[in-house]
């Protein structure tokens, strides 16, 4: 089971990538995140912790990172993994951003449906919040096509 949400954001991909790399600030644009941190650089293998607004915090690890293009983080508890893949690509007037979520592990059949329901409800709101946060943060004072 994959859950996917897409949004066009009127900023360059580098702005999105910078926002993603500021893990301790995820709560500023992700309404479902109370707190997040990494114990090291934003790179493959770095571990940390994410605490949702509702529920208990879980350990996480960065499992994939392509600077300026994507990253995947995995939240985990015994026998259950939550995979969060984030990609950004240049598009007319900004960036296309995609967040995908899926579950693996022996207990995915047990925990997956409940977590999926929460993700399906929250992911559209999270993407709109990321869009507003990124566009407000970037907010160029002079359009690039100005004389």
């Amino acid at each position: 089971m994959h859950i996917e949400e897409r949004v066009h954001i009127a900023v360059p991909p580098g702005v999105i990538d910078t926002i993603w790399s500021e893990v301790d600030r995820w709560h500023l644009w992700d309404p479902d995140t109370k707190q997040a941190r990494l114990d090291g650089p934003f790179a493959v293998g770095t571990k940390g912790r994410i605490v949702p607004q509702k529920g208990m915090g879980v350990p996480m690890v960065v499992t994939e990172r392509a600077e300026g293009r994507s990253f995947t983080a995995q939240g985990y508890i015994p026998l259950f993994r939550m995979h969060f893949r984030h990609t950004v690509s240049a598009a007319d007037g900004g960036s296309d951003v995609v967040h995908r979520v899926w579950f693996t592990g022996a207990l995915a059949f047990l925990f997956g449906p409940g977590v999926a329901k929460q993700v399906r409800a929250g992911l559209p709101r999270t993407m709109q919040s990321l869009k507003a946060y990124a566009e407000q943060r970037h907010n160029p004072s002079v359009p690039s096509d100005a004389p």
Side-chain angles (χ1 to χ4, degrees):
M1 158 189 340
H2 278 71
I3 301 162
E4 181 177 299
E5 193 69 30
R6 298 172 175 266
V7 67
H8 179 82
I9 303 177
V11 302
V15 172
I16 301 300
D17 190 63
T18 297
I19 290 169
W20 286 339
S21 70
E22 299 168 342
V23 176
D24 61 338
R25 298 176 64 136
W26 284 358
H27 67 279
L28 297 176
W29 57 267
D30 184 347
D32 292 326
T33 296
K34 185 176 183 177
Q35 183 181 46
R37 67 170 167 73
L38 285 180
D39 301 325
F42 190 54
V44 172
T46 302
K47 294 180 179 181
R49 187 166 184 80
I50 188 162
V51 180
Q53 288 292 349
K54 298 176 184 173
M56 298 182 344
V58 295
M60 72 171 173
V61 62
V62 178
T63 58
E64 178 273 334
R65 172 81 172 121
E67 191 171 339
R69 294 194 311 263
S70 65
F71 84 95
T72 304
Q74 181 185 103
Y76 55 92
I77 59 173
L79 305 177
F80 182 63
R81 303 284 184 264
M82 299 162 284
H83 306 267
F84 299 88
R85 173 125 171 102
H86 305 75
T87 60
V88 61
S89 56
D92 287 344
S95 301
D96 285 335
V97 179
V98 181
H99 287 193
R100 291 180 186 92
V101 182
W102 69 97
F103 313 105
T104 60
L107 295 180
F109 77 95
L110 182 62
F111 293 124
V115 176
K117 184 177 179 184
Q118 291 176 341
V119 170
R120 275 195 191 94
L123 196 53
R125 184 178 67 241
T126 295
M127 296 296 277
Q128 289 304 311
S129 182
L130 174 61
K131 175 181 173 67
Y133 179 79
E135 289 175 353
Q136 180 181 21
R137 179 171 165 162
H138 185 63
N139 192 14
S141 57
V142 179
S144 60
D145 60 352

